[in-house]
Amino acid sequence: MIEGRIHSIETFGTLDGPGIRYVVFFQGCPMRCKYCHNPDTWTMQGGTMMTADEIIAGYKKKEIYYKNGGITATGGEPLLQLDFLIELFQKAKAAGIHTCLDTSGITFSKDKEEEYLQLSKVTDYVLLDIKHVRSNDHFELTGKDNKAVFEFLSFLDRQQVPVRIRHVIVPSITLDKDSLIELGKALSQYKNIKELELLPYHTMGVAKYQELGIPYCLKGIKEPSNEEILEARKLVLEGFRQ
Ligand code: SF4
């Protein structure tokens, strides 16, 4: 039986997929988003080794809460532990549990299409984080370009897996008229997008950087206002309609 390296589990998640969710944070992420509020999930060294059965057993203990929810795999980057994620979701589906994957899609590769096909058959919903629509800006923000992200979105579209797009609004980085319109235009090509969620950048993770001794690159950038988020949404939708 495969074991997964798990950072932590939240038993009452309300933000990461439909309903109330059992949220499993995977350890390890290849990205280095400047605004990441979970830098403690980056390394593959920490966490606890767990089997899929142990995770499902934890879910079952509080099953009554999750009637309209299910299990969400987040991180870190769950796709880094692809074989374990497939096993977890296969077992969840066999037990009648709704499955949701929260990912940046960055590890998607055609070489592993067979595994991704298996995963898509047992994934009910995907929360796909698009960090920046422009590849060079994506690289600047995260340390990786966004080619794999859009390839993963196309793959999910072909497999008819419904997706909620998540995009963090950071003043002076993603809060930019042209790139928001461009994002809307890019998204309009996909039929599987069900929701768009624009998340305000926040500074709640800064203390973790201090604890870990990692420099925080976005010092001085303010959190966006509600009005700015609404305006950003309008711009993405404007691009979508063009
Ligand atoms: S993809 Fe997520 S976990 Fe990884 S660095 Fe970015 S925000 Fe953090």
Side-chain angles (χ1 to χ4, degrees):
M1 193 177 292
I2 317 168
E3 289 188 316
R5 191 175 283 278
I6 303 303
H7 173 273
S8 54
I9 292 176
E10 187 187 332
T11 57
F12 209 80
T14 54
L15 302 172
D16 299 304
I20 295 172
R21 311 203 60 92
Y22 192 74
V23 184
V24 183
F25 290 82
F26 282 51
Q27 186 75 40
C29 183
M31 302 252 273
R32 292 294 178 264
C33 304
K34 288 180 178 169
Y35 54 64
C36 179
H37 54 268
N38 291 325
D40 46 330
T41 64
W42 288 350
T43 168
M44 278 304 281
Q45 306 308 318
T48 306
M49 299 308 291
M50 292 183 78
T51 64
D53 286 340
E54 285 170 334
I55 293 174
I56 304 277
Y59 174 95
K60 292 257 176 195
K61 277 190 202 156
K62 297 195 164 79
E63 196 167 30
I64 190 147
Y65 294 125
Y66 310 124
K67 266 188 306 203
N68 301 315
I71 287 183
T72 294
T74 183
E77 176 49 69
L79 294 177
L80 260 192
Q81 301 183 62
L82 185 55
D83 292 341
F84 176 72
L85 178 63
I86 293 169
E87 183 165 307
L88 175 63
F89 276 13
Q90 282 175 340
K91 291 199 167 186
K93 288 315 302 168
I97 300 169
H98 182 276
T99 55
C100 178
L101 168 64
D102 177 18
T103 179
S104 70
I106 200 69
T107 58
F108 179 72
S109 106
K110 291 199 174 120
D111 302 347
K112 291 218 161 185
E113 184 133 356
E114 190 46 48
E115 286 92 333
Y116 279 98
L117 278 170
Q118 285 179 39
L119 179 66
S120 68
K121 291 194 178 96
V122 286
T123 302
D124 291 314
Y125 204 59
V126 172
L127 311 178
L128 182 66
D129 298 306
I130 297 183
K131 312 291 184 181
H132 206 296
V133 67
R134 294 189 190 132
S135 208
N136 55 337
D137 290 319
H138 193 280
F139 186 90
E140 178 63 28
L141 182 60
T142 71
K144 304 266 181 198
D145 67 47
N146 67 11
K147 189 166 172 269
V149 181
F150 281 96
E151 282 178 0
F152 188 49
L153 180 53
S154 298
F155 168 82
L156 293 171
D157 199 8
R158 290 196 298 280
Q159 300 313 313
Q160 300 180 341
V161 178
V163 169
R164 178 199 297 175
I165 298 293
R166 286 175 145 178
H167 187 61
V168 178
I169 298 298
V170 192
S172 79
I173 297 182
T174 54
L175 187 55
D176 163 67
K177 185 177 177 194
D178 291 345
S179 53
L180 288 165
I181 291 176
E182 203 175 317
L183 176 65
K185 279 186 193 164
L187 296 181
S188 68
Q189 299 168 39
Y190 303 93
K191 295 185 189 68
N192 59 335
I193 297 174
K194 305 297 172 201
E195 295 173 284
L196 168 70
E197 186 178 15
L198 299 187
L199 301 159
Y201 160 70
H202 64 73
T203 53
M204 284 187 293
V206 176
K208 286 190 190 170
Y209 283 76
Q210 281 160 358
E211 269 169 42
L212 295 167
I214 304 171
Y216 190 70
C217 304
L218 301 185
K219 265 186 206 145
I221 293 188
K222 291 207 178 91
E223 298 180 359
S225 64
N226 289 342
E227 290 71 31
E228 284 173 314
I229 298 292
L230 286 174
E231 184 56 30
R233 189 175 176 84
K234 269 191 210 155
L235 291 166
V236 178
L237 294 178
E238 186 185 320
F240 198 87
R241 283 187 218 102
Q242 276 180 17

